[in-house]
Amino acid sequence: MKHIVSGIQPTGSINIGTYLGSIRNFVRLQREYDEHHFMLFIADLHAITIPRDRLELRKTIKELAAMYLACGLRQENLSLFIQSEVPAHSHMSYLLQCFTYMGELERMTQFKDKAQKHEKGVTASLFTYPALMAGDILLYDAEYVPVGEDQKQHLELTRDIAIRVNNRFGEFFTVPKPLIPKVGARIMSLTEPTAKMSKSDANVKSRINMLDTDDIIRKRIRSAVTDSEASFYYDKTNKPGLSNLITIYSALADISIEAVEQKYKDVSYKDFKEALADLVIENLRPIRQRYHELIQSKELDAILDEGAAYASKISNKKAAKFNHKLGLGRKRK
Ligand code: TYM
């Protein structure tokens, strides 16, 4: 069985950036790659690289599980699971740390950014995080890994680690390829459009959360930073705010950036923002409704149990083979 693997950290509310950069893409890819099996998970082990409130984390894990499904993933070729319920992930992370160099981890821009924000308590796990991520992927011999732009560097390191292991032991891991969406791979903050839209931004006006009400969505878009030029075209460098809004429109309407430019070239920013708000609301409303049904259902637990069982079966086998390659434990017949 060929696998496609990806994960999302359960930290804060899911926003439209995460949706466009990952979940919406998973839904599309599930149709395109219908012979692949999708291993999608909630990366709770990644979340604790920074201290979290226990009850808050547990709540967010469940919310993220419901959100994955509410966005329209289909069950046929999917295993949805919680990372910590599949113990081979943390085991593999350690084994792969033995194949990862300090210098490589020191170069990771996400580590540098996060370490800067948490100067006092930078944990060792925040540093070794890319080895955990490599384990998540290599355990399933993933052929493809759909992610947003900000995970590209981690994926390149995963590929390097896989190649390093293969050079030593022969073809042991599949070397995974990233699948980065053409539009929507990097949605920017609404208030500071040169920075990524992020779950952890202290300013709630910087993002649209998937569970925001229609009114809040409209407000956030109305107050999004643009520019004073008042002419409608995409230019990421000189008009980052407007270009970000055009990107969101393009991704949600499934039309090209050029088509959005053409459609709105003669309208004011204000009118475009109203049209964008309508489009976002129209897209998020059914997801929100389905989410509220799912979060109260028993179906969710059953899906997560099944996902963890399948993931454990595959990953235990792969981890045992790797133990064997490395000479760990006893030889078994
Ligand atoms: P995380 O939780 O930060 O983000 C989840 C996914 O959403 C994408 N994303 C965005 N895309 C576009 N615009 C944005 N503003 C935006 N913000 C987030 C991310 O690129 C990502 O695809 N380390 C990963 C989780 C992970 C993982 C894995 C992913 C753990 N193990 C194995 C793939 C394979 C992370 O922190 O993503």
Side-chain angles (χ1 to χ4, degrees), residues 98-263:
C98 302
F99 290 82
T100 310
Y101 301 122
M102 297 284 283
E104 288 175 316
L105 295 172
E106 272 158 4
R107 278 197 293 278
M108 295 293 114
T109 50
Q110 275 214 344
F111 170 73
K112 288 194 271 189
D113 288 352
K114 287 191 181 169
Q116 227 174 21
K117 278 189 205 144
H118 298 265
E119 272 162 16
K120 276 199 195 126
V122 179
T123 58
S125 63
L126 190 63
F127 186 63
T128 57
Y129 166 124
L132 176 60
M133 182 157 160
D136 299 337
I137 297 166
L138 300 180
L139 271 173
Y140 302 100
D141 282 310
E143 197 177 339
Y144 296 109
V145 182
V147 282
E149 189 72 43
D150 62 342
Q151 296 300 321
K152 207 170 146 195
Q153 196 187 27
H154 291 156
L155 212 66
E156 275 159 12
L157 179 57
T158 300
R159 288 170 56 86
D160 290 344
I161 296 171
I163 292 168
R164 192 167 299 147
V165 170
N166 289 351
N167 283 341
R168 190 161 144 202
F169 297 112
E171 292 309 297
F172 184 70
F173 286 130
T174 299
V175 181
K177 298 183 214 46
L179 282 179
I180 297 177
K182 282 192 199 83
V183 180
R186 192 171 171 80
I187 299 296
M188 310 308 274
S189 152
L190 298 179
T191 46
E192 201 190 322
T194 47
K196 189 186 76 163
M197 184 182 285
S198 159
K199 297 180 264 209
S200 55
D201 194 324
N203 185 356
V204 289
K205 290 187 179 164
S206 67
R207 58 183 171 262
I208 297 167
N209 288 331
M210 298 299 285
L211 296 177
D212 280 345
T213 60
D214 295 352
D215 277 358
I216 297 271
I217 294 172
R218 201 171 289 281
K219 257 192 211 152
R220 299 286 184 258
I221 294 175
R222 277 184 185 155
S223 67
V225 169
T226 47
D227 56 82
S228 53
E229 195 194 14
S231 57
F232 194 90
Y233 59 94
Y234 181 93
D235 178 345
K236 220 167 125 183
T237 316
N238 299 309
K239 296 163 82 73
L242 182 68
S243 302
N244 189 38
L245 299 182
I246 294 178
T247 301
I248 296 174
Y249 194 103
S250 158
L252 283 175
D254 264 328
I255 61 174
S256 67
I257 300 276
E258 295 74 28
V260 185
E261 283 177 324
Q262 195 57 29
K263 191 166 176 193

Side-chain angles (χ1 to χ4, degrees), residues 257-300:
I257 300 276
E258 295 74 28
V260 185
E261 283 177 324
Q262 195 57 29
K263 191 166 176 193
Y264 290 100
K265 65 180 189 324
D266 298 321
V267 310
S268 64
Y269 286 2
K270 187 169 164 285
D271 289 348
F272 170 65
K273 281 180 167 180
E274 292 305 314
L276 176 62
D278 290 340
L279 181 68
V280 174
I281 289 168
E282 191 183 298
N283 271 267
L284 298 200
R285 198 183 283 151
I287 294 177
R288 202 158 64 218
Q289 278 164 359
R290 176 103 184 99
Y291 169 88
H292 288 299
E293 288 161 23
L294 275 161
I295 196 84
Q296 286 157 8
S297 74
K298 291 217 170 66
E299 193 190 345
L300 192 57

Side-chain angles (χ1 to χ4, degrees), residues 4 6-8 14-33 38 40 64 67-74 146-148 179-187 210 246-256 260 276 278-287:
I4 291 184
S6 198
I8 300 177
I14 311 260
N15 62 56
I16 198 171
T18 312
Y19 172 62
L20 293 176
S22 67
I23 310 183
R24 190 175 165 94
N25 202 25
F26 304 158
V27 174
R28 190 174 57 78
L29 293 168
Q30 259 198 317
R31 290 191 176 78
E32 224 170 278
Y33 291 81
F38 284 68
L40 301 179
L64 178 53
M67 187 53 79
Y68 262 115
L69 296 172
C71 290
L73 290 169
R74 56 179 200 183
V147 282
L179 282 179
I180 297 177
K182 282 192 199 83
V183 180
R186 192 171 171 80
I187 299 296
M210 298 299 285
I246 294 178
T247 301
I248 296 174
Y249 194 103
S250 158
L252 283 175
D254 264 328
I255 61 174
S256 67
V260 185
L276 176 62
D278 290 340
L279 181 68
V280 174
I281 289 168
E282 191 183 298
N283 271 267
L284 298 200
R285 198 183 283 151
I287 294 177

